[in-house]
Amino acid sequence: MGFITLTGCSSKSKDRSPDWARNTEAVSRTAAVQLMDPDAERQALQRFSDFYAVYSPEAIRAGVRSVYDENAWFGDPFRIVEGMDEIEHYFLVMAEPVKSCTFTVDSISRSGIDYFARWTMELESKAAEGEIIRTIGISHVRFNASGKVVFQQDYWDASAMLDRLPVVGYWTRLVKDRIEKGLEQ
């Protein structure tokens, strides 16, 4: 969910793409997390939902450290980052080109120690004011016993934003159009 840009992004991290091996390692490393008690669970899920309700530099600075563990792992279609400082930096970079962004957590399901948050993002870029980008996604999240996120992998269609970039958008729309034409035959 912290993965928003229409003008490109940078991060101190050199890892610029999803990496199955690193994801698998992070899942294994966090497999021993303890279940939260019901009250801690309710509070953790509320903090998570509230944090993403308004995605802005101010909200990130004010809330990221109350939501994420110091050693948390975060991955999305653009980047993998590890540790609080890297996560905060990445979120701030991604929020920079944004005029407004909200995430509505539509539902959260739990399976053992894994939580799956289905969400809807509405984004307006500073580069394309007045044009609202809407997309849906899912966050796979694990919390520690204190209710802080230790693992989060976001899954969503990044082309919803890439389609609107001047050069990249041409190519993503071209690929989508060719797939669509192939399906129509």
Side-chain angles (χ1 to χ4, degrees), residues 9-14 16 79-81 86 89-90 93:
C9 67
S10 67
S11 175
K12 296 175 189 173
S13 172
K14 302 238 187 290
R16 293 194 174 93
R79 190 72 60 143
I80 292 171
V81 289
E86 284 291 313
H89 175 74
Y90 181 56
V93 168

Side-chain angles (χ1 to χ4, degrees), residues 43-124:
Q43 290 175 22
L45 296 175
Q46 190 63 56
R47 266 193 316 275
F48 182 82
S49 296
D50 291 348
F51 176 71
Y52 284 104
V54 175
Y55 193 81
S56 68
E58 299 78 24
I60 292 165
R61 284 186 194 97
V64 71
R65 293 179 185 275
S66 69
V67 175
Y68 290 87
D69 181 77
E70 192 63 36
N71 298 306
W73 188 97
F74 177 89
D76 71 10
F78 295 117
R79 190 72 60 143
I80 292 171
V81 289
E82 295 183 68
M84 175 56 65
D85 293 338
E86 284 291 313
I87 290 170
E88 182 176 35
H89 175 74
Y90 181 56
F91 287 2
L92 289 169
V93 168
M94 296 302 275
E96 163 50 33
V98 172
K99 181 176 180 189
S100 69
C101 182
T102 61
F103 290 89
T104 302
V105 176
D106 301 309
S107 66
I108 299 178
S109 300
R110 188 184 101 198
S111 177
I113 60 171
D114 297 305
Y115 294 80
F116 300 92
R118 188 175 60 80
W119 45 264
T120 303
M121 177 186 74
E122 292 193 1
L123 165 77
E124 182 180 7

